């Protein structure tokens, strides 16, 4: 064993790898490299070399800086220990570790670089920043496989023990948008645009929150993602909603969420409707819910609002500017009105297609949505009650059939039907309630005459 001063260590360049000689070609660009051959840039105090048989170990302290000979990566720390065992050479970095290449900057308490596989392991208070998009990963552990032609064509990251990812986005103008915050038991990232997260995964931002057992997210050209394992997503703020299913698929444009779809046992609750169905899709524009779709066969879509119930093989709700404007029901379409408090029945209209239109008016600062008209086409049927307040009688019942039925509601927020228009093969029935005559108990009933013999 013999001690070497820092200057001697630098002069011999014995640390870690063999130096470049004057006869060698200039260092190639990072993308042309096949392995990282370290060169010593600085050592603050001293270095030590230990030779045991065919193995050589190097130590250095007082602040050490190393760099790959091709300039593709630089690593600094308080001290290092390098163990040269043929192709399995590894170098350990201890205290205030800083790793940097063309894609990332990483800081940690400890770090280890493995020649085999060109792998970097960071441990303890690991903080990683992506220099291209500003995304960060913070956690106790990170394995980093850097981009290396001939070894791998894209970088890969593995992090465990619930790392926190701040995933950068772009706004509509191409500037830096609000990031997604992803937390999971374990995370894998490939390149700058693919993320896999597993184990109690959460995704949060100011406008929505999501959770599930696992997550896949691709923010590249395809802009897609999936949450599986009892997933749930909630829109926050004024345009609030919640969405559940066995799986939730995501569509993104420029890293902004534009469409969300729940598959199998879908359940959505928005400001206007409580909706169930096999599949439910929410269409978002500038973080606002503009349309809700539902379809399926094992669980037929069914929606309930404050005043109505809508059923059909598929449903569509238009909500531009956060206001319900139109509901469409297709195939076995059925729309029921407000529940009668006495009988529990609803007035209803059905057909191959039913379209309900709404209007929203502001009154005393409160927006109130009211139904304006209903139109059923294709084997249309309607059943509704007509009350006459001028008479103290039960409401009459109207049942109609036709190729097309249009029901216009009373204007001005008043309840009830104003006009019914029926076209095509028309028939139906109108039933008036028959008053029940109750005998006057104060009038004496004459005795019955005896029957004749």
């Amino acid at each position: 064993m013999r001690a070497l001063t820092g200057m001697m260590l630098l002069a011999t360049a014995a640390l870690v790898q063999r130096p470049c000689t004057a006869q060698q070609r200039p260092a190639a660009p990072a993308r042309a490299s096949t392995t990282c051959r370290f060169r010593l840039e600085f050592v603050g105090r001293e270095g030590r070399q230990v030779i045991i048989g065919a193995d050589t170990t190097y130590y250095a302290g007082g602040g050490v800086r190393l760099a790959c000979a091709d300039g593709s990566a630089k690593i600094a720390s308080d001290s290092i220990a390098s163990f040269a065992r043929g192709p399995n050479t590894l170098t350990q970095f201890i205290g205030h570790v800083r790793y940097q290449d063309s894609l990332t900057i990483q800081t940690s308490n400890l770090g280890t670089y493995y020649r085999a596989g060109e792998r970097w392991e960071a441990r303890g208070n690991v903080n990683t920043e992506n220099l291209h998009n500003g995304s960060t990963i913070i956690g106790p552990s990170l394995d980093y496989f850097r981009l290396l032609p001939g070894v791998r064509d894209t970088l890969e990251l593995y992090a465990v023990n619930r790392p926190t990812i701040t995933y950068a986005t772009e706004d509509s103008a191409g500037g830096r948008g609000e990031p997604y915050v992803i937390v999971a038991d374990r995370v894998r990232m490939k390149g700058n645009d693919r993320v896999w997260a597993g184990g109690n995964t959460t995704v949060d931002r100011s406008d929505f929150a999501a959770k599930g057992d696992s997550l896949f997210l691709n923010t590249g050209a395809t802009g897609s993602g999936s949450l599986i394992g009892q997933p749930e997503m909630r829109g926050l703020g004024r345009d609030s909603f919640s969405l559940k299913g066995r799986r939730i698929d995501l569509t993104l444009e420029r890293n902004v969420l534009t469409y969300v779809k729940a598959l199998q046992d879908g359940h959505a609750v928005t400001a206007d409707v409580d909706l169930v169905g096999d599949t439910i899709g929410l269409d978002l524009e500038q973080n606002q819910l503009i349309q809700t779709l539902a379809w399926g066969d094992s669980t037929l879509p069914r929606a309930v609002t404050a005043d109505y119930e809508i059923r059909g093989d598929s449903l569509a709700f238009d909500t531009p500017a956060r206001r319900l404007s139109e509901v469409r029901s297709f195939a076995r379409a059925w729309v029921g009105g407000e529940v009668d408090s006495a009988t529990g029945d609803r007035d209803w209209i059905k057909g191959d297609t039913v379209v309900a239109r709404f209007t929203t008016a502001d009154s005393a600062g409160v927006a109130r949505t009211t139904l304006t008209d209903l139109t059923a086409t294709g084997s249309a049927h309607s059943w509704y009650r007509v009350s006459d307040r001028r008479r103290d009688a039960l409401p009459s019942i109207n049942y109609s059939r036709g190729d097309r039925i249009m029901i216009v509601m009373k204007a001005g927020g008043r309840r009830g039907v104003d006009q019914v228009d029926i076209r095509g093969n028309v028939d139906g029935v109108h039933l008036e309630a028959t008053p029940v005559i109750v005998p006057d108990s104060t009038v004496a009933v004459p005795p019955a005459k005896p029957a004749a013999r």
Side-chain angles (χ1 to χ4, degrees), residues 73-147:
K74 296 181 179 182
I75 310 175
S77 65
D78 291 343
S79 58
I80 68 163
S82 178
F83 304 92
R85 293 180 175 86
N88 297 320
T89 296
L90 63 88
T91 305
Q92 293 181 333
F93 299 79
I94 305 165
H96 300 93
V97 180
R98 176 186 171 89
Y99 171 97
Q100 181 174 354
D101 60 20
S102 61
L103 299 176
T104 65
I105 293 178
Q106 302 176 27
T107 60
S108 61
N109 296 339
L110 303 172
T112 305
Y113 195 93
Y114 294 86
R115 280 280 308 276
E118 301 294 329
R119 183 172 84 255
W120 168 253
E121 291 184 357
R123 299 292 184 267
N125 298 317
V126 183
N127 191 324
T128 303
E129 179 183 358
N130 186 306
L131 298 176
H132 283 196
N133 57 27
S135 297
T136 62
I137 305 176
I138 298 175
S141 173
L142 179 76
D143 291 355
Y144 177 69
F145 297 80
R146 68 191 187 101
L147 171 65

Side-chain angles (χ1 to χ4, degrees), residues 135-265:
S135 297
T136 62
I137 305 176
I138 298 175
S141 173
L142 179 76
D143 291 355
Y144 177 69
F145 297 80
R146 68 191 187 101
L147 171 65
L148 208 61
V151 179
R152 65 186 63 88
D153 60 0
T154 185
L155 68 88
E156 294 188 41
L157 298 173
Y158 295 88
V160 295
N161 297 325
R162 296 199 65 75
T164 298
I165 301 174
T166 303
Y167 202 79
T169 65
E170 292 183 359
D171 57 24
S172 57
R176 187 63 59 84
E178 183 181 0
Y180 300 103
V181 178
I182 303 171
V183 180
D185 291 347
R186 54 197 175 275
V187 173
R188 176 193 176 198
M189 300 181 69
K190 191 168 185 178
N192 294 317
D193 51 20
R194 283 168 288 177
V195 179
W196 292 264
N200 191 21
T201 304
T202 62
V203 184
D204 292 281
R205 208 169 69 165
S206 64
D207 55 341
F208 85 96
K211 63 180 181 179
D213 289 342
S214 59
L215 165 73
F216 166 69
L217 187 64
N218 183 353
T219 59
T222 57
S224 61
S226 295
L227 274 165
I228 60 176
Q230 298 180 331
E232 179 180 357
M233 177 172 287
R234 293 183 296 113
L236 308 176
R238 292 180 55 193
D239 205 18
S240 62
F241 67 86
S242 69
L243 182 65
K244 298 179 181 179
R246 296 188 186 180
R247 169 175 168 171
I248 295 178
D249 285 346
L250 316 174
T251 301
L252 303 96
E253 295 180 7
R254 299 179 66 88
N255 293 340
V256 176
L257 193 65
T258 59
Y259 187 66
V260 184
K261 182 170 64 176
L263 297 93
Q264 294 186 294
D265 300 329

